[in-house]
Amino acid sequence: MVNIKRLPSPIIESYEWQWEGACMGVDSSVFFSPEAERGMKRHRREESAKAVCATCPVIDRCREHALAVQEPYGVWGGLTESERTEILAGRQAAVG
C-alpha cells in the first residue's frame, strides 16, 4: 500500500511542473508496465519512456518527486522502478 504521507500537499504549486513535462499527451502505457510484462518487451518500453524523459525540461523535478514520494510504479524522471529502488536503498544504507 502506498504511504500518502510522503505526498506533497494538494496545492497546485506542488504539481504545476508536471504541465511542462515532455510526457504530456504521451500515452501512459509508455511509462507504466502492463501486469506481468517481463524481459525484452519491458526493456524496450522502458527505453522508449526514458527517451521521452531525456528530452524533458523538468526531468530533475520529476526524478526528485518520484524519489521523495517513493513512487512505486512506472518510469519517472528517467528512472525505472528498480533504478529508484536501488537509489533509495543506497541512500538508506548511507544513513544507517
Side-chain angles (χ1 to χ4, degrees), residues 14-29:
S14 297
Y15 296 98
E16 195 169 37
W17 59 269
Q18 292 181 357
W19 291 106
E20 299 173 38
C23 59
M24 286 300 293
V26 177
D27 190 315
S28 63
S29 66

Side-chain angles (χ1 to χ4, degrees), residues 18 40 43 56 62 74 89:
Q18 292 181 357
M40 284 307 296
H43 178 74
C56 188
C62 183

